[in-house]
Amino acid sequence: MTHRSYAYENGGLPHNERLEFLGDAVLGIVVTEHLYLTFPELPEGRLAKLRAAVVNSHSLADVARDLDLGDEILLGKGEQTTGGADKSSILADSLEAFLGSVLISAGRDAADRLIHHLFDPLVASAAAMGAGLDWKTSLQEFCADQSLGGPSYRITESGPDHDKRFEAVAVIGEETFEPGTGTSKKLAEQGAAENAFTTLSARLTVPQETPA
């Protein structure tokens, strides 16, 4: 959990980038193997897109936030004052370092189990998306299929320049849905699209009452 900024400010201590390199490798092979075995019907190109949707800095950062990993990272003063503990790049790298440390300290089986626990739900979520493998594309396709009209997004932002927060609301026709939030407009819109897609999809599975 030692970021290089902290290491440099404290006499050149060892930092976590070598473990990050190792964690990145084991994460990639575990997710790739899981995709290969779980989706035998999918071609290589689709598998590659699924992997990219799961193993990327935004996904890793979200997993790290769920684990409250930011509270454990040792950061230099500059990174501390600019919100480094919640920066997606730092969180993603630190999560990979954490996975690398599990591999070294507890072995491959333990690392595999942890990665499956953390990332299998993301694989399932990505597999449920449309061909574009993002929620905005999936929502766009759904709205087209159901003749609902194209979705739009209302964006608001808050916070200082170094720590912006964005909130997005999907609007379809006259209806709005639960907002999505994130550290960028893109992430907030993806969250808003996911909420709208989930709500609308659930309606299709609810049996409609027939008139007496």
Side-chain angles (χ1 to χ4, degrees), residues 1 64-65 67-75 84-86 91 94:
M1 293 297 100
R65 290 187 182 97
L67 297 173
D68 293 326
L69 207 63
D71 295 339
E72 308 301 327
I73 303 171
L74 298 178
L75 296 168
D86 194 48
L91 287 170
S94 298

Side-chain angles (χ1 to χ4, degrees), residues 79-98:
E79 288 291 356
Q80 287 180 12
T81 57
T82 57
D86 194 48
K87 285 184 180 177
S88 290
S89 59
I90 291 177
L91 287 170
D93 291 347
S94 298
L95 178 64
E96 288 179 338
F98 172 57

Side-chain angles (χ1 to χ4, degrees), residues 21-97:
F21 168 78
L22 187 61
D24 174 70
V26 70
L27 174 62
I29 189 61
V30 172
V31 170
T32 300
E33 182 182 38
H34 179 61
L35 289 168
Y36 181 85
L37 296 175
T38 304
F39 304 103
E41 76 286 358
L42 294 183
E44 179 271 341
R46 175 69 175 177
L47 291 173
K49 288 183 178 180
L50 279 171
R51 181 176 59 191
V54 173
V55 183
N56 62 68
S57 61
H58 293 305
S59 294
L60 267 64
D62 285 343
V63 172
R65 290 187 182 97
D66 289 342
L67 297 173
D68 293 326
L69 207 63
D71 295 339
E72 308 301 327
I73 303 171
L74 298 178
L75 296 168
K77 293 177 181 178
E79 288 291 356
Q80 287 180 12
T81 57
T82 57
D86 194 48
K87 285 184 180 177
S88 290
S89 59
I90 291 177
L91 287 170
D93 291 347
S94 298
L95 178 64
E96 288 179 338

Side-chain angles (χ1 to χ4, degrees), residues 63-180:
V63 172
R65 290 187 182 97
D66 289 342
L67 297 173
D68 293 326
L69 207 63
D71 295 339
E72 308 301 327
I73 303 171
L74 298 178
L75 296 168
K77 293 177 181 178
E79 288 291 356
Q80 287 180 12
T81 57
T82 57
D86 194 48
K87 285 184 180 177
S88 290
S89 59
I90 291 177
L91 287 170
D93 291 347
S94 298
L95 178 64
E96 288 179 338
F98 172 57
L99 297 176
S101 71
V102 172
L103 177 65
I104 290 294
S105 63
R108 176 64 190 273
D109 287 346
D112 283 12
R113 289 196 302 272
L114 178 60
I115 290 168
H116 280 298
H117 174 71
L118 295 176
F119 287 90
D120 282 5
L122 300 184
V123 171
S125 178
M129 295 182 189
L133 282 176
D134 69 80
W135 288 112
K136 289 183 69 176
T137 300
S138 297
L139 181 61
Q140 184 78 33
E141 292 175 348
F142 182 93
C143 289
D145 290 343
Q146 301 297 319
S147 301
L148 298 176
S152 61
Y153 298 88
R154 296 173 184 166
I155 309 292
T156 57
E157 62 180 74
S158 60
D161 288 342
H162 69 271
D163 191 23
K164 285 288 187 184
R165 291 292 186 274
F166 297 87
E167 181 176 285
V169 175
V171 183
I172 301 171
E174 299 297 321
E175 185 173 7
T176 59
F177 299 85
E178 183 180 349

Side-chain angles (χ1 to χ4, degrees), residues 190-209:
Q190 287 290 338
E194 179 182 2
N195 292 335
F197 182 90
T198 302
T199 299
L200 292 172
S201 298
R203 290 178 187 171
L204 293 182
T205 65
V206 176
Q208 300 297 313
E209 293 185 4

